[in-house]
Amino acid sequence: MRRTWGVIAVLLTAVLLAGCTANSGSVSTDSSGSTGSSEGDVGAVAPEQDFSVDKAPYGSVVTGTTGDVNTSNRDVITTGSMSITATDPVAASESAVTITEQAGGRVDSRSENPGTDVQPASATLTLRIPSDELDRTLAELKKLGRLNFVSLNAQDVTQQSQDLDARITALTTSVDRLLALMASATSTTDLISIEDALSSRQGELESLQSQRDFLADQIDYSTVQLELVSEDTVAAGGPDNFWTGIIAGWTALVAAAGGLLIGLGVALPWLVVLAIFGAIALVIVRVLARRRKAA
């Protein structure tokens, strides 16, 4: 029996040692769900990189929503339109000009129509507002009256700006080289050829610089079309009883009679002239008739 128990003990010890050896090379999983291997595992896999929003690759760091991404390195042209109902559109137009100029902007066009019996007052302005002052300026303009609508449109022209800058840089370098070649030219033929090429490059360079200046102005100053209108005039209601009907009818009769008299006054000079010509024609016809009878 002692030998039997000894054999069993040896077998159990061997099994336990085999289990420990197998566990020494297994892959473990921690509470966070990540996997790893023991120090002695030759085929260990490196942990995956964290490409979450807070730790983006290539060194860029983005937090929050996409609207929080830094866009200061982009070139954007902002245009829009705005309509406001004001008690006095002409006076509101003056205030709009003051608000724009205080923000560092300017007014490119301005049209004002004072109110008349047949036309309500209105004003239309084209405002150029610094892009970094646009939101604050629009908030000030909204205080001029009741806002009807506001619409803004942003166009990203970063690629166009970079393309113009690259072409300007390349042409500037080419012009400098041609100037250096002109200074070292030894023959008249070479000098004329260089001058022709230089003139062409300088003309193209000036054109690109003009385009770049115009684009920069559109980027730096947002364009807003502002429309100022007056309150709508409510039409008077119709007669609601017998007496108001009589008054409305009498008023219409007087207005019609006045219009008829005005028309008669306009037509009277023409009637007098026609009567004179008619009398002359009648006299001529009678004279001719008498001569025929006498003959």
Side-chain angles (χ1 to χ4, degrees), residues 153-269:
N153 179 45
Q155 179 184 3
D156 193 333
V157 293
T158 305
Q159 185 174 0
Q160 184 177 352
S161 300
Q162 293 175 349
D163 179 65
L164 283 174
D165 290 339
R167 293 170 64 185
I168 289 173
T169 300
L171 278 175
T172 302
T173 303
S174 178
V175 168
D176 292 340
R177 290 177 179 176
L178 288 173
L179 289 174
L181 290 175
M182 181 181 294
S184 60
T186 56
S187 65
T188 305
T189 303
D190 293 341
L191 184 61
I192 294 175
S193 177
I194 294 173
E195 286 180 348
D196 291 340
L198 181 61
S199 177
S200 176
R201 300 291 173 82
Q202 286 178 334
E204 187 177 357
L205 178 60
E206 291 176 358
S207 176
L208 291 177
Q209 288 174 339
S210 177
Q211 295 178 34
R212 187 65 179 89
D213 292 340
F214 176 78
L215 188 62
D217 180 73
Q218 297 296 311
I219 294 170
D220 294 339
Y221 291 88
S222 301
T223 303
V224 177
Q225 298 288 340
L226 174 62
E227 179 186 22
L228 297 167
V229 296
S230 59
E231 296 286 347
D232 296 333
T233 303
V234 180
D240 54 358
N241 55 52
F242 178 75
W243 295 109
T244 56
I246 291 178
I247 294 173
W250 176 257
T251 303
L253 178 61
V254 172
L260 181 61
L261 290 175
I262 293 174
L264 182 60
V266 173
L268 185 59

Side-chain angles (χ1 to χ4, degrees), residues 9-95:
V10 171
L11 292 175
L12 289 175
T13 302
V15 171
L16 290 175
L17 290 175
C20 292
T21 304
N23 289 334
S24 65
S26 63
V27 179
S28 62
T29 304
D30 58 13
S31 60
S32 62
S34 61
T35 58
S37 61
S38 62
E39 295 180 359
D41 190 1
V42 178
V45 180
E48 296 182 357
Q49 294 182 356
D50 184 5
F51 291 102
S52 62
V53 175
D54 292 332
K55 296 180 180 180
Y58 308 110
S60 60
V61 178
V62 181
T63 59
T65 62
T66 55
D68 298 329
V69 178
N70 185 12
T71 59
S72 59
N73 60 337
R74 298 180 182 176
D75 293 333
V76 178
I77 295 178
T78 304
T79 58
S81 57
M82 189 176 187
S83 176
I84 295 176
T85 298
T87 305
D88 186 353
V90 176
S93 175
E94 293 287 346
S95 300

